[in-house]
Amino acid sequence: MNEALLRSLTPSVLGILVRRGADFAAAEDAVQDALVEAVRVWPAGPPRDPKGWLVTVAWRRFLDATRADAARRRREDFVDEEPAPGPAPAVDDTLQLYFLCAHPSLTPSSAVALTLRAVGGLTTRQIAQAYLVPEATMAQRISRAKRTVSRVRFDQPGDVATVLRVLYLVFNEGYSGDVDLAAEAIRLTRQLAAAIDHPEVAGLLALMLLHHARRAGRTASDGSLVPLAEQDRGRWDTESIAEGIEILQTALARDRLGEFQAQAAIAALHADAPTAEETDWVQIVEWYDELTRLTDSPVVRLNRAVAVGEADGPRAGLAALAALDDSLPRHAAVAAYLHERDGDLTTAARLYAEAAHKAPNLAERDHLTRQAARLNACR
């Protein structure tokens, strides 16, 4: 079974059902039923037109659910609108669905969560990790969002800022999580950049390209993580780096700085350094100061502490870290790194082990465990 094909077709099929009059929650349920049916029957005989097959089955599932509901008087109208046999229209509705999920009736956080679940294909657990909340809390948030949008028409799409936030989180999950969605996030952001003249759209696209350019160097042949300072920069995609920097420079020239442009500027300084030792950490700290002013995010402050440790020494980094809540994700890993650089190997080894216990994924846990073992062997 080609799971990648099913994932790529899901947004378009969902969009077709919504445009034909199905409310969002019911359409999503119908599409999920169609996907389950595809997993069951396609191995024995895959259809010649997978998208058309999914549309037909999903619509029939929707009709079945509608007939079982109170909306009996609308049943004939829905039957009349059933898609005709033959190939489904070759329309990519994914980006439009992102805007539709960012509905004005939803709070930005709920809109992002709904889109990540319904269109981005992320699990509730993955979304909860991205938002740093318990999985049960996120499940309730998504359920409330579904109930809200089930009562409204999708004729007032949401704003660009919410869509950018969704694309950013989808990219991050694809870049470092369990599901590879990074390339899809870049594709959709390119579409958005072509349709909207907005410096933050350009900033997000530049950020994605600069991060994605380093992807080949992030893991060793055995799948283990390779820290940025140890990566083989010859494996980085120089064309993507050049494109990202060019897009960023054009956006910055408009003097409308936003958080994605600031993040992209930091990524550009990393990507542009010939070696790790030549990284301009002083300028990176300055960009983190700008980013802190824009977002006041504790995660940004955590990353800033690392940059301060590189620019001004590990004790300066630890001083910056001391002002932050130690329950922050990856706080222990940052503290371990700074203590190691300061020569306190005992504390660093303990903190690496603590960070490994809290790691959000297997690759990161294994990396931190090896760091702890390496320091323990040195003592």
Side-chain angles (χ1 to χ4, degrees), residues 46-69:
R48 285 181 294 182
D49 180 15
K51 181 178 177 181
W53 189 96
L54 286 171
V55 170
T56 299
V57 173
W59 187 261
R60 288 172 180 167
R61 290 291 190 275
F62 170 68
L63 290 179
D64 290 342
T66 301
R67 293 187 183 104
D69 200 34

Side-chain angles (χ1 to χ4, degrees), residues 134-349:
E135 184 174 348
T137 300
M138 183 53 65
Q140 292 176 351
R141 183 180 300 176
I142 293 172
S143 294
R144 286 195 300 268
K146 287 182 179 179
R147 288 195 298 270
T148 298
V149 299
S150 293
R151 297 191 295 266
V152 300
R153 296 293 299 178
F154 283 99
D155 55 359
Q156 292 181 283
D159 66 343
V160 174
T162 301
V163 173
L164 290 179
R165 179 63 52 190
V166 177
L167 289 169
Y168 177 61
L169 290 175
V170 169
F171 176 82
N172 279 343
E173 189 61 44
Y175 189 68
S176 60
D178 301 326
V179 182
D180 187 358
L181 296 171
E184 174 69 357
I186 291 174
R187 182 183 72 85
L188 293 173
T189 307
R190 283 191 187 278
Q191 284 188 7
L192 188 58
I196 299 176
D197 183 20
H198 192 298
E200 271 294 83
V201 176
L204 179 58
L205 179 56
L207 176 63
M208 289 179 175
L209 290 170
L210 290 164
H211 276 315
H212 205 60
R214 303 200 305 261
R215 187 168 189 175
R218 292 182 71 246
T219 54
S221 57
D222 62 358
S224 60
L225 290 180
V226 180
L228 177 61
E230 300 172 18
Q231 290 178 18
D232 178 1
R233 299 185 178 221
R235 299 183 66 193
W236 291 0
D237 183 348
T238 55
E239 289 186 7
S240 291
I241 291 173
E243 182 186 4
I245 290 175
E246 182 180 359
I247 292 171
L248 173 63
Q249 289 174 337
T250 301
L252 291 174
R254 301 178 64 176
D255 198 24
R256 290 170 55 193
L257 184 64
E259 62 172 297
F260 292 124
Q261 295 170 71
Q263 288 190 59
I266 294 169
L269 287 167
H270 283 299
D272 205 33
T275 65
E277 293 72 23
E278 295 174 85
T279 303
D280 190 344
W281 286 105
V282 173
Q283 192 174 169
I284 287 176
V285 171
E286 292 174 354
W287 276 111
Y288 270 121
D289 289 340
E290 290 285 354
L291 193 53
T292 300
R293 180 181 61 81
L294 290 166
T295 67
D296 195 30
S297 163
V299 175
V300 170
R301 293 181 182 275
L302 183 69
N303 291 331
R304 180 185 179 277
V306 176
V308 169
E310 298 290 353
D312 301 326
R315 294 193 178 182
L318 286 168
L321 189 65
L324 302 177
D325 187 343
D326 61 9
S327 67
L328 277 172
R330 298 187 172 91
H331 184 284
V334 170
Y337 173 74
L338 292 171
H339 276 290
E340 180 184 357
R341 288 202 58 220
D342 195 38
D344 186 353
L345 303 188
T346 300
T347 300

Side-chain angles (χ1 to χ4, degrees), residues 70-84:
R72 296 290 181 180
R73 283 180 291 181
R74 297 187 62 197
R75 179 178 57 189
E76 288 77 15
D77 294 335
F78 285 130
V79 171
D80 291 341
E81 294 176 12
E82 180 173 349

Side-chain angles (χ1 to χ4, degrees), residues 8-9 11-13 15-16 19 51 88-94 96 191:
S8 68
L9 291 175
S12 185
V13 175
I16 289 172
R19 288 203 311 274
K51 181 178 177 181
V91 177
D92 183 359
D93 296 298
T94 308
Q96 180 65 17
Q191 284 188 7

